[in-house]
């Protein structure tokens, strides 16, 4: 039996059934999956990722590099370390080779986060942490990653168990992960909780991790860190082996050997790399009949799913005596767990007596205590690897999880890599789930030896959060599904849903994309919607358009500085299209500006840019032009906006707005009027983004559905058709109207878009003006917006396709002339067409260019960007 | 995550703020009078010291007001925070 009746603190009254690799096994409450497996004599847990070698349990905590498991039930979780999985009834797990499987169905568990402030945060509830917590004053928070503290928690201290502090950030900000759900009722509480801690002062009592020594065949199951065996014995009552070989560089492994011997194990031999061992240890060993060989190490092992023997040889020799064993305990010394201190930008110092890095003094608000500071750790003979004979296949594993060997490190240094960061990336050492807790320092030491350097001078790699792996689900918390990102819907949204609209995400908005009728796909629906807008009457939900109310005595002067064209000359009651540029002269947004009153304008922006434009305005008002008396306020959600489009739109509007003279003379293009529409006070604008006769009707958003339904009723006999964003895009593209962000990126000027007419020559200055005369902006070979007609009218060019000059793709580098920004099938043109940004595009009108599409090269004719109704006669009806 | 002391709201988490680039780069009085080179310097060139740098920040998820801060680019420490109408403090 490997579970001893008289050792350990597991709850033997609470047996737990679990399944591992299909075997039904039993453990106790208080076990980890690793301790329960060892209690059942299971040493091989997994196989290695690259060489598929059997791998076991190396450690008893978060530093374990090999015992990787996939939890299958109650819910699939990949890549967990068996040493950190608390055993619970019904657990189903299997060993992994270093790659897990994500669940395909949504996780039903809840995850959440809590914010907490404290005067002192103590990380680690060992003796040093508890002492620090007892001394601290004010609000004290103590966190520890184990289920139970190893001693009494001081009074007045808030204690969180099963909580791992995994990241220390600026200004006392610490993130910690609490594991809650597996042992409690998951339907009532969250499975994991992220604590977002803001602490005035931090005390790190994070302890130390034992490190191994590298030797040939050091990866077999049953080869374990010495301290881990002691933990399995004293905490879980599990004797990890019956006959053990111990290999050490320091005193700490002796206590392990004696504990195991006292519990009934046979210690075959202690191989001590040091030349001398204290008389006291020699006496204690002799009393137990344990042989000690000083100046010795391990040069080889044998075994399959578990180690069966180890060869003990004098350091430097390659031959030695073979000892049968079922457990090989290794101690290369102890590494203070300085991860969190290093994350807090604490500097480290190499301590040669420990063969490890220790904090080089405290930070103003971060203190390290106990073994994390190197206190009480045993002096060691620094030994990274046992000298070994050359072999064809190197099995001297430095990083067991990555299957990276000493040869891999030497290959890196042999290739000329000198910095530890480069060696790390070349070998992948330290990049697995365990982040090199046992392998990082070994790699550093072996690298330093290879380069003839001193670790005291070689800077260690930087520790970054997270200290242990954290599930994305925990980081996401409740911010998933519907709560992942705010969804913005218009006042008309319920109607769109009820009428089968397909939606498109535009920023956070849900916009109707198209309204398919039974049997229709996107293409046929859009062609139908386009025909309705061009030949009859159609309407869309334009409510998402950004709307900013700009008011104040200096509003007109402000807009003159912001837009490329003149806004102060706009009369009340009129509307002007405007383009906005950055100081570099590149277009950042466009829209219409309505003059509501002498001191008040309503500015519209593209749907996705509304917030950006408001921020742009506020930035200039606050930082450069604080003398301007202007307020800018977002009013996007206040209005429902419905463009009514098409040759029959005037007749339909007349029906629902009997008091409004809709004739072209009384209600001209680019003017607006207040009117009662369908009994609702409305602002009606004559604006056209389709090229057709069109009215944009704005009502307070709560009247949106009433207006929409009234327009549908009034237009029923004209076959009024709702249309979505896809149709809107086709209609505007036929007219050559660019969409900012689709036709443009941050390198396109108004002139490139063919919009010199929208750039004032009169204004002394506006944002972007000076840049237009820079040499770069005047180059004749800038990319300009043009239309493209594929010579085969059925061929639809993929958006993003590149344009070249030749009818075949030449040898690279291929000169790229530009790219397709928009591409559609047009009902009005009876063919496909595209818009593109093309080098010297306007000069190329009439030329044939080529677009590689897959294996084919499609010839296209370059045209002006306006492809439909060039004269603009349709907009007046 | 850093705490940034907004001059109006007090210390708040950095996710509430937006960075606005180097401070005290005033929009030129008369851009037309500048040479291409001087204009390019205004548009494209910014200081990149290893040490204190005056910067503009806005408390975009709070009071939405802009302010200046001197940040040490080596440590990210905010050495001073001041309103736009206040002079740049002398950093000892």
């Amino acid at each position: 039996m490997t579970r001893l009746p008289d050792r350990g603190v597991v709850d033997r009254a609470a047996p737990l059934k679990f399944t591992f690799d299909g075997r039904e096994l039993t453990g106790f409450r208080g076990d980890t999956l690793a301790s329960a497996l060892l209690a059942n004599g299971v040493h091989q847990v997994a196989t290695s990722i690259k060489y598929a070698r059997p791998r076991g349990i190396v450690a008893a905590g978060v530093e374990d590099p090999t015992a990787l498991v996939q939890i299958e039930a109650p819910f699939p979780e990949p890549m967990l370390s068996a040493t950190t999985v608390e055993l619970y009834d019904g657990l189903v797990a299997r060993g992994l080779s270093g790659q897990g499987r994500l669940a395909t169905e949504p996780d039903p568990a809840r995850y959440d986060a809590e914010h907490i402030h404290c005067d002192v945060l103590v990380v680690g509830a060992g003796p040093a942490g508890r002492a620090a917590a007892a001394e601290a004053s004010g609000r004290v928070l103590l966190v520890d990653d184990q289920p139970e503290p190893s001693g009494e928690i001081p009074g007045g201290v808030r204690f969180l168990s099963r909580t791992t502090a995994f990241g220390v950030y600026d200004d006392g900000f610490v993130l910690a992960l609490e594991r809650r759900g597996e042992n409690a009722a998951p339907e009532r509480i969250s499975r994991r909780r992220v604590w977002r801690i803001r602490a005035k002062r931090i005390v790190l009592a994070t302890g130390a991790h034992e490190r191994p020594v590298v030797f040939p065949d050091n990866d077999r199951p049953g080869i374990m860190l010495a301290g881990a065996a002691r933990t399995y014995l004293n905490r879980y009552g599990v004797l990890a082996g019956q006959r053990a070989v111990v290999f050490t560089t320091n005193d700490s492994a002796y206590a392990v050997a004696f504990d195991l011997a006292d519990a009934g194990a046979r210690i075959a031999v202690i191989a001590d790399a040091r030349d001398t061992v204290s008389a006291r240890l020699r006496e204690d060993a002799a009393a137990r009949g344990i042989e000690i060989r000083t100046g010795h190490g391990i040069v080889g092992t044998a075994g399959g799913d578990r180690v069966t023997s180890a060869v003990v040889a004098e350091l430097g020799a390659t031959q030695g005596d073979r000892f049968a064993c079922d457990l090989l305990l290794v101690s290369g010394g102890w590494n203070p767990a300085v991860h969190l201190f290093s994350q807090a930008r604490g500097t480290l110092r190499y301590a040669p007596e420990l063969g490890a890095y220790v904090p080089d003094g405290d930070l103003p608000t971060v203190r390290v205590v106990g073994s994390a500071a190197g206190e009480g750790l045993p002096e060691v003979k620094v030994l990274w690897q046992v000298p070994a004979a050359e072999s064809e296949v190197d099995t001297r594993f430095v990083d067991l999880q990555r299957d990276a060997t000493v040869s891999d490190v030497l290959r890196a240094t042999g290739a000329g890599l000198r910095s530890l960061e480069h060696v790390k990336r070349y070998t992948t050492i330290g990049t697995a789930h365990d982040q090199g807790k046992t392998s990082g320092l070994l790699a550093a030491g072996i690298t330093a030896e290879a380069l003839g350097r001193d670790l005291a001078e070689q800077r260690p790699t930087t520790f970054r959060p997270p200290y242990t792996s954290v599930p994305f689900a925990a980081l996401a918390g409740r911010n998933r599904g519907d709560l992942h990102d705010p969804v913005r819907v218009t006042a008309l949204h319920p109607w769109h849903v009820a009428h089968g609209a397909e939606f498109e995400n535009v920023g956070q908005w849900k916009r109707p994309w198209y309204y398919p009728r039974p049997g229709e796909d996107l293409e046929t629906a859009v062609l139908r919607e386009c025909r309705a807008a061009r030949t009859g009457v159609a309407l869309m939900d334009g409510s998402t358009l950004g709307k900013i109310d700009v008011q104040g005595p200096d509003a007109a002067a402000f807009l003159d500085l912001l837009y490329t064209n003149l806004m102060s000359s706009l009369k009340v009651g009129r509307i002007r299209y405007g383009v906005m540029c950055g100081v570099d002269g590149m277009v950042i947004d466009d829209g219409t500006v309505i003059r509501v009153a002498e001191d008040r304008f309503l500015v519209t922006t593209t749907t996705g840019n509304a917030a950006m434009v408001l921020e742009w305005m506020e930035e200039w008002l606050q930082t450069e032009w604080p003398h301007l008396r202007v307020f800018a306020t977002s009013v996007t959600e206040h209005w429902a906006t419905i463009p009514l489009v098409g040759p029959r739109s005037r007749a339909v509007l007349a029906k629902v707005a009997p008091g409004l003279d809709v004739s072209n003379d009384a209600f001209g293009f680019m003017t607006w009027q207040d009117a009662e529409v369908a009994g609702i006070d409305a602002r009606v604008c004559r604006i056209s983004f389709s090229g057709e006769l069109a009215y944009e009707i704005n009502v307070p958003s709560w009247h949106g559905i009433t207006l929409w339904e009234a327009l549908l009723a009034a237009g029923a006999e004209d076959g009024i058709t709702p249309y979505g964003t896809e149709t809107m895009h086709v209609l505007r593209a036929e007219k050559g109207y660019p969409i900012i962000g689709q036709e443009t990126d941050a390198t396109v000027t108004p002139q490139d878009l063919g919009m010199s007419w929208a750039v004032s020559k009169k204004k002394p200055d506006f944002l972007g003006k000076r840049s237009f005369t820079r040499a770069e902006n005047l180059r004749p070979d800038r990319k300009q917006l043009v239309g493209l007609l594929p010579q085969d009218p059925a061929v639809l060019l993929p958006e993003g396709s590149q344009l070249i000059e030749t009818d075949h793709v030449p040898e690279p580098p291929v000169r790229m002339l530009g790219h397709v920004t928009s591409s559609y099938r047009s009902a009005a043109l009876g063919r496909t067409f595209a818009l593109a940004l093309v080098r010297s595009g306007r000069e190329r009108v009439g030329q044939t260019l080529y677009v590689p599409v897959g294996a084919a090269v499609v010839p296209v004719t370059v045209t002006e960007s306006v492809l439909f109704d060039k004269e603009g006669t349709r907009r007046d009806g | 995550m850093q705490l940034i002391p907004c001059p109006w709201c007090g210390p708040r988490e950095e996710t509430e703020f937006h960075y606005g680039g180097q401070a005290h780069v005033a929009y030129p009085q008369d851009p037309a009078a500048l040479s291409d080179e001087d204009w390019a310097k205004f548009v494209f060139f910014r200081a990149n010291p290893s040490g204190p740098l005056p910067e503009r920040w806005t408390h975009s998820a709070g009071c939405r007001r802009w302010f200046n801060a001197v940040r040490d680019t080596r440590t990210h420490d905010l050495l001073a925070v001041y309103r736009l109408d206040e002079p740049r403090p002398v950093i000892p």
Side-chain angles (χ1 to χ4, degrees), chain A residues 171 198 345 619 622 770, chain B residues 3 13 36 56 66 75:
Chain A
D171 295 327
R198 187 70 77 168
R345 280 184 258 150
E619 179 176 354
Q622 288 185 42
R770 175 64 185 83
Chain B
L3 290 175
E13 300 207 328
D36 277 2
R56 290 202 316 206
W66 285 84
T75 59

Side-chain angles (χ1 to χ4, degrees), chain A residues 169-171 173 196 198 345 583-584 614-615 618-620 622-624 765-767 770-771 774-775, chain B residues 1-3 13-14 25-27 31-32 34-36 39-40 42-44 56 60 64-66 75 84:
Chain A
Y169 306 83
D170 294 298
D171 295 327
F173 188 61
R196 305 168 66 86
R198 187 70 77 168
R345 280 184 258 150
V583 288
D584 58 0
L614 181 65
E615 272 164 23
E618 287 188 351
E619 179 176 354
W620 285 98
Q622 288 185 42
T623 62
E624 292 293 340
D765 194 28
F766 53 83
L767 295 182
R770 175 64 185 83
S771 288
R774 291 181 65 238
Chain B
M1 186 175 2
Q2 260 189 298
L3 290 175
E13 300 207 328
E14 66 182 81
V25 183
Y27 186 78
L34 295 184
S35 67
D36 277 2
W39 177 248
F42 165 71
V43 176
F44 301 113
R56 290 202 316 206
S60 45
R64 298 185 65 85
R65 293 171 83 169
W66 285 84
T75 59
L84 296 176

Side-chain angles (χ1 to χ4, degrees), chain A residues 3 9-11 14-16 18 26-40 82-88 91 147 183 232 235-238:
Chain A
R3 180 89 72 177
V9 295
V10 291
D11 183 359
L16 304 172
F18 70 103
T26 310
F28 294 117
R29 174 153 298 143
D31 264 327
T32 61
L33 178 56
S35 69
L37 287 172
L38 291 173
N40 284 282
T83 59
T84 63
V85 173
E86 228 180 293
L87 194 69
Y88 49 94
L91 175 74
N183 295 308
Y232 286 118
R235 180 162 161 195
Y236 303 105
V238 174

Side-chain angles (χ1 to χ4, degrees), chain A residues 51-387:
Chain A
Y51 303 125
R53 288 167 68 95
R55 290 288 161 80
I57 296 163
V58 167
V62 296
E63 69 274 32
D64 186 274
T66 49
L68 266 186
V69 296
Q70 164 100 24
I71 303 295
E72 300 288 6
F75 187 78
E77 256 195 286
M79 297 282 287
L80 297 178
S81 180
T83 59
T84 63
V85 173
E86 228 180 293
L87 194 69
Y88 49 94
D89 210 39
L91 175 74
V92 178
R94 68 183 166 89
L96 284 178
S97 68
Q99 282 177 315
R101 176 180 62 82
L102 285 172
T104 49
E105 68 271 33
D107 188 346
R110 284 198 290 130
Y111 298 84
D112 63 0
E114 188 144 348
H115 293 255
I116 186 167
H117 290 74
C118 59
D119 294 295
V120 182
L121 167 69
V122 182
V123 180
R130 295 198 305 273
E135 280 168 24
S137 54
R139 293 167 299 173
V140 181
L141 176 67
L142 175 61
V143 303
D144 191 89
D145 72 341
Q146 293 300 312
E148 303 286 342
S150 59
E152 199 177 329
I153 300 301
V157 170
R158 182 164 186 187
F159 177 59
L160 294 173
S161 64
R162 295 188 176 91
T163 303
T164 311
F166 64 83
V168 173
Y169 306 83
D170 294 298
D171 295 327
F173 188 61
V174 177
L175 290 181
L177 179 72
E178 182 188 7
R179 293 169 296 283
R180 316 175 75 210
E182 283 93 350
N183 295 308
E187 67 275 11
R188 283 193 295 111
I189 64 166
S190 54
R191 177 180 286 160
R192 305 271 164 89
R193 169 176 285 172
V194 172
W195 288 85
R196 305 168 66 86
I197 304 161
R198 187 70 77 168
K200 287 194 184 120
R201 280 178 296 123
I202 299 170
V203 181
L204 299 174
T206 43
H209 298 142
E210 200 168 20
R211 66 170 177 271
V213 181
V214 178
F215 50 82
D217 288 323
N218 62 334
D219 65 330
R220 298 188 197 283
I223 301 178
M224 190 180 282
L225 290 167
R230 197 181 193 200
T231 302
Y232 286 118
L233 177 64
N234 294 331
R235 180 162 161 195
Y236 303 105
V238 174
L239 195 56
Q242 302 297 328
R243 188 183 162 89
V245 169
V246 178
F247 172 32
T248 188
T249 61
N250 63 86
D251 284 355
S252 70
Y254 285 79
V256 182
F258 300 160
D259 273 8
L260 262 66
D262 295 348
R266 170 97 199 276
I267 306 299
V269 66
I270 295 178
D272 195 319
R274 297 173 296 182
D275 294 328
T276 53
V277 176
S278 73
R280 186 180 56 79
L281 290 179
R282 283 196 173 280
E283 283 163 27
D284 288 350
R288 292 172 175 87
I290 300 173
E291 183 192 351
I292 299 173
R293 294 197 181 180
T294 53
H296 277 62
I298 308 290
V299 293
T301 67
D305 59 357
R306 188 163 176 184
V307 66
T308 53
S309 69
V311 179
V312 175
E314 208 169 328
L315 287 184
T318 55
Q319 304 291 322
D321 295 334
R322 186 173 288 274
F323 289 83
C325 62
D326 60 359
L327 186 65
L328 172 51
L329 301 180
V330 184
S331 178
W334 294 78
N335 303 332
V338 292
H339 308 70
L340 298 179
F341 181 72
S342 176
Q343 289 174 19
R345 280 184 258 150
T347 52
L348 303 176
R349 168 181 69 81
Y350 182 68
E353 70 281 8
L354 301 178
Y357 289 98
V358 295
D360 190 14
D362 292 329
L363 293 167
T365 57
V366 183
R367 195 156 66 86
V368 189
V369 297
S371 49
E375 293 160 12
L377 293 177
E379 285 194 17
V380 301
K381 173 189 169 73
V382 175
L383 185 68
W384 311 117
Q385 56 167 327
V386 178

Side-chain angles (χ1 to χ4, degrees), chain A residues 16-26 40 91:
Chain A
L16 304 172
K17 286 194 169 58
F18 70 103
T19 306
F20 182 74
D21 280 347
R23 286 175 66 190
E24 287 190 13
L25 302 168
T26 310
N40 284 282
L91 175 74

Side-chain angles (χ1 to χ4, degrees), chain A residues 79 207 302 410 423 455 791 810 863:
Chain A
M79 297 282 287
L410 297 181
V423 172
L455 275 185
Q791 289 180 359
T863 70

Side-chain angles (χ1 to χ4, degrees), chain A residues 855-867:
Chain A
V857 176
V858 178
V860 298
T861 305
V862 181
T863 70
E864 287 173 17
S865 57
V866 185
L867 288 152

